[in-house]
């Protein structure tokens, strides 16, 4: 059993379903403090709704290289559908099974063991190494990384380079690195009609009928064509609700939740204006509320991206691909501070699924890539 595998299994055995941490962060704090990290436990929220975070730092000088990640995991789903219990790590055919193996306790374990080896070899390294770990990434993400960043910004403590351990890889570990993400914005639309008996439609106003042409138009629009760094903006409906549950009542309201994943070709303000114009053109009564989850960001070629490419090449022998596809990550809270941000972790094929797993060999490969990256950035 390697050190990275051992730590991954220890983390998986703790049922840290978001926003719970179940001692994962204290385990990490103990390992990091033993090699010279100063640990800050940062708790945000209120009674019965706390989010636990740690900010750990080794060194007082810049540049600051930070590993970022989350100890919380998504719910398991029906545990009887798992081949083995989700919080009892099991190895079968070279794969480690358990909730959080890929997203993202394996990455966190690899970060820690990479630091342990690096510090042992380079105790007087350049700059600083930091860890930003939260238990609120898989949930609403309101008391986690965003709050830690606010705390750091308030005292003018800056991250220069940040590696988020999200599972970025597709076919083999390190084949894809995320150097940016699309923006994400939710819309909450309520269309107001008039409830009535379904046999007397002239005395009612059906909000579903009012909504349908507008929704069809929204679904058919090409918002932009994307660019070299981002795919085209996507509009998707995630929830559509109406009706009273019976067959003879025209409902009074229809509710829609939709999402934009948008490129740098548009702004969230432009999207909001275009949607409002379309809805107004259809001449019905509605309320619309917006929720901006994160603006698009991209880290251009530079010290961090170049070092990541080199670390992957020297460790695995192959070249990596830069990508901005996929969902959001906590990188959206870190990039606006001016930090260079990339995401590099294990394969994402089984994340959030029943029987989530990661290749045991990939854990050691990932740890070696992380260590090589530290050598390239923080040694002369």
């Amino acid at each position: 059993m390697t050190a990275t595998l051992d730590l991954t299994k220890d983390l998986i055995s703790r049922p840290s379903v978001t926003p719970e941490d179940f001692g994962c962060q204290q385990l990490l704090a103990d390992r990091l403090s033993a090699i010279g990290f100063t640990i800050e436990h940062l708790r945000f929220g209120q009674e019965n709704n706390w989010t636990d975070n740690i900010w750990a730092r080794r060194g007082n000088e810049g540049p600051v290289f930070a590993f970022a990640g989350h100890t919380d995991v998504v719910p398991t789903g029906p545990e009887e559908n798992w081949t083995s219990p989700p919080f009892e790590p099991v190895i079968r055919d070279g794969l480690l099974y358990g909730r959080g193996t890929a997203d993202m306790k394996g990455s966190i374990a690899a970060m820690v063991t990479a630091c342990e080896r690096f510090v042992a070899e380079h105790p007087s390294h350049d700059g600083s190494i930091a860890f930003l770990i939260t238990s609120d990434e898989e949930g609403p993400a309101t008391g986690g990384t965003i709050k830690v960043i606010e705390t750091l910004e308030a005292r003018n403590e800056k991250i220069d380079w940040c590696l988020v351990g999200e599972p970025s890889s597709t076919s083999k570990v390190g084949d894809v690195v995320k150097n940016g993400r699309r923006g994400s914005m939710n819309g909450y639309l309520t269309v107001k009609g008039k409830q009535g008996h379904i046999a007397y439609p002239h005395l009612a106003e059906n909000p579903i009928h009012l909504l349908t042409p507008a929704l069809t138009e929204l679904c058919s629009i090409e918002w932009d064509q994307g660019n070299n760094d981002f795919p085209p903006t996507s509009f998707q409906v995630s929830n559509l609700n109406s009706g009273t549950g019976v067959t003879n009542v025209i409902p009074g309201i229809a509710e829609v939740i939709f999402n934009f994943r948008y490129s740098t070709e548009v702004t969230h303000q432009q999207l909001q204006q275009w949607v409002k114009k379309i809805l107004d053109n259809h001449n019905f009564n509605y309320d619309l509320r917006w929720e901006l989850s994160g603006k698009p960001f991209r880290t251009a070629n530079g010290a961090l991206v170049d070092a990541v490419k080199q670390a992957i090449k020297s460790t695995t022998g192959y070249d990596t691909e830069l990508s901005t596809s996929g969902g959001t990550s906590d990188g959206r809270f870190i990039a606006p501070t001016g930090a260079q941000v990339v995401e590099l972790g294990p394969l994402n094929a089984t994340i959030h699924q029943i029987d989530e797993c990661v290749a045991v060999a990939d854990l050691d490969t990932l740890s070696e890539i992380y260590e090589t990256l530290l050598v390239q950035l923080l040694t002369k």
Side-chain angles (χ1 to χ4, degrees):
M1 183 180 297
T2 69
T4 306
L5 174 61
D6 192 15
L7 181 54
T8 303
K9 292 176 72 174
D10 200 346
L11 290 169
I12 292 167
S13 68
R14 301 163 190 257
S16 55
V17 176
T18 190
E20 299 294 335
D21 173 66
F22 266 92
C24 292
Q25 291 179 19
Q26 188 58 55
L27 172 63
L28 301 175
D30 291 343
R31 294 282 286 258
L32 293 173
S33 63
I35 56 172
F37 279 79
T38 299
I39 312 295
E40 282 186 79
H41 293 272
L42 299 170
R43 173 173 269 200
F44 300 102
Q46 54 191 1
E47 186 108 21
N48 299 321
N49 189 28
W50 296 108
T51 296
D52 290 308
N53 310 277
I54 56 173
W55 171 250
R57 180 166 174 171
R58 188 181 197 277
N60 298 311
E61 303 296 328
V64 178
F65 175 89
F67 287 111
H70 59 91
T71 52
D72 60 320
V73 298
V74 295
T76 63
E79 292 196 19
E80 62 272 17
N81 291 344
W82 285 69
T83 306
S84 54
F87 296 112
E88 294 180 15
V90 173
I91 297 174
R92 295 192 299 274
D93 299 323
L95 298 175
L96 174 64
Y97 288 84
R99 175 58 85 222
T101 49
D103 192 11
M104 55 174 286
K105 292 180 176 181
S107 298
I108 292 175
M111 294 170 181
V112 172
T113 57
C115 281
E116 289 172 337
R117 296 192 307 275
F118 174 76
V119 168
E121 188 71 23
H122 306 278
S124 300
H125 59 78
D126 299 338
S128 298
I129 311 172
F131 277 73
L132 195 171
I133 306 295
T134 182
S135 64
D136 182 35
E137 196 275 344
E138 298 290 7
T142 56
T145 300
I146 187 171
K147 288 295 186 182
V148 177
I149 289 296
E150 288 176 3
T151 301
L152 298 178
E153 287 288 287
R155 63 196 192 200
N156 199 33
E157 189 171 0
K158 293 287 188 179
I159 297 171
D160 296 284
W161 304 310
C162 182
L163 186 145
V164 185
E166 290 291 347
S168 63
S169 304
T170 302
S171 300
K172 50 190 178 182
V173 66
D175 63 349
V176 176
V177 169
K178 306 288 186 181
N179 68 322
R181 292 284 190 167
R182 294 174 293 176
S184 178
M185 180 171 64
N186 296 311
Y188 299 84
L189 173 65
T190 300
V191 178
K192 301 177 180 179
K194 182 180 179 182
Q195 183 173 315
H197 197 293
I198 206 161
Y200 301 93
H202 59 289
L203 300 177
E205 190 175 27
N206 194 321
I208 300 174
H209 295 188
L210 297 173
L211 167 66
T212 300
L215 197 57
T216 299
E217 184 175 350
L218 289 168
C219 291
S220 64
I221 289 176
E222 181 183 70
W223 303 93
D224 61 53
Q225 295 183 338
N227 51 41
N228 290 336
D229 300 311
F230 291 90
T233 293
S234 168
F235 171 91
Q236 290 292 318
V237 174
S238 59
N239 288 269
L240 179 59
N241 299 291
S242 191
T244 63
V246 297
T247 60
N248 60 352
V249 176
I250 293 172
I253 62 171
E255 298 174 318
V256 182
I257 302 175
F258 58 85
N259 175 268
F260 281 104
R261 295 298 167 103
Y262 65 99
S263 75
T264 51
E265 292 296 303
V266 294
T267 66
H268 69 276
Q269 295 97 331
Q270 287 176 314
L271 293 172
Q272 290 176 5
Q273 292 168 3
W274 293 341
V275 170
K276 184 178 185 303
K277 182 177 180 181
I278 290 169
L279 296 178
D280 288 345
N281 286 343
H282 285 271
N283 195 30
F284 52 70
N285 189 13
Y286 70 90
D287 288 329
L288 178 58
R289 176 174 63 87
W290 295 100
E291 177 186 69
L292 180 63
S293 299
K295 297 179 181 178
F297 70 90
R298 175 182 176 273
T299 296
N301 287 336
L304 180 60
V305 169
D306 292 345
V308 168
K309 287 180 177 179
Q310 293 169 11
I312 293 170
K313 180 72 171 181
S314 64
T315 302
T316 68
Y318 49 77
D319 296 317
T320 192
E321 172 191 346
L322 299 179
S323 173
T324 61
S325 64
T328 59
S329 77
D330 276 0
R332 70 190 189 273
F333 303 127
I334 303 168
T337 68
Q340 297 178 38
V341 179
V342 296
E343 299 171 28
L344 170 58
L347 273 62
N348 54 32
T350 63
I351 60 173
H352 293 205
Q353 295 183 16
I354 301 293
D355 284 348
E356 179 183 351
C357 62
V358 66
V360 172
D362 286 353
L363 295 173
D364 288 326
T365 301
L366 195 59
S367 183
E368 186 178 347
I369 292 172
Y370 290 162
E371 182 187 6
T372 304
L373 181 60
L374 290 170
V375 171
Q376 290 177 345
L377 290 174
L378 297 181
T379 62
K380 294 177 182 178

